[in-house]
Amino acid sequence: MSRSMMFDSLLIVCTANLCRSPIAQGLMQRTFVDKHILSAGLMVNIAKPIAPLALSIAQQHGLDLSQHKATSLTQALCLHADLILVMENWQLHEVANYHFAIRGKVFLFGHWLNHMEIPDPFGKEHAMFEHTYSLLEQATQSWFGRI
């Protein structure tokens, strides 16, 4: 992917759309105000609100995610997005298999940080949520100038 590529519509994907992808969506929207940014999860059963610890961490860092409801990933969301960012390698492969036209636009959120995966903090302690937030913030900044 070259530094000169421009993307208007971004989709950020994680497992359940309860922790990582909503926070990443908020960070990306704050950084790239002119972009259309959505988030979704691969394993969403119902439209749950963001995980309480994720909400707390986000609020501590100035992100209001209180209205977030989990969204299930669909082929239509993938096809509409110019760029799809996922948290882990297994998600990259899973999303790339949704449709042949999607494969070339799916990347790790941590692509510019040595293809770093962002660990899932769900069900873990506060410190893990803080660590994950820090990684998401670093990854967000790494996309600056590239989208």
Side-chain angles (χ1 to χ4, degrees), residues 14-18 40-48 69-73:
C14 71
T15 305
N17 196 220
L18 297 175
L42 285 162
M43 298 177 187
V44 176
N45 294 326
I46 58 171
K48 292 182 182 179
K69 297 285 187 239
T71 300
S72 185
L73 185 68

Side-chain angles (χ1 to χ4, degrees), residues 91-108:
Q91 295 165 350
L92 192 145
H93 299 293
E94 186 80 20
V95 173
N97 286 325
Y98 267 59
H99 191 277
F100 72 90
I102 296 169
R103 290 193 179 119
K105 60 182 181 178
V106 184
F107 295 87
L108 284 172

Side-chain angles (χ1 to χ4, degrees), residues 18-74:
L18 297 175
C19 301
R20 295 172 292 176
S21 57
I23 290 173
Q25 178 185 5
L27 288 167
M28 293 291 274
Q29 197 66 72
R30 183 165 68 188
T31 304
F32 303 100
V33 295
D34 60 332
K35 306 293 182 187
H36 179 68
I37 303 170
L38 297 174
S39 66
L42 285 162
M43 298 177 187
V44 176
N45 294 326
I46 58 171
K48 292 182 182 179
I50 189 170
L53 266 177
L55 178 62
S56 174
I57 297 293
Q59 287 174 332
Q60 290 172 25
H61 293 276
L63 293 176
D64 180 11
L65 303 178
S66 60
Q67 301 304 309
H68 175 80
K69 297 285 187 239
T71 300
S72 185
L73 185 68
T74 64

Side-chain angles (χ1 to χ4, degrees), residues 73-126:
L73 185 68
T74 64
Q75 187 180 56
L77 281 172
C78 291
L79 289 170
H80 177 72
D82 297 324
L83 178 66
I84 303 168
L85 302 175
V86 300
M87 302 295 155
E88 300 174 65
N89 281 313
W90 74 267
Q91 295 165 350
L92 192 145
H93 299 293
E94 186 80 20
V95 173
N97 286 325
Y98 267 59
H99 191 277
F100 72 90
I102 296 169
R103 290 193 179 119
K105 60 182 181 178
V106 184
F107 295 87
L108 284 172
F109 195 67
H111 177 83
W112 300 109
L113 300 173
N114 262 350
H115 301 275
M116 178 180 66
E117 293 184 298
I118 310 287
D120 191 353
F122 190 78
K124 307 229 173 29
E125 301 293 323
H126 186 272

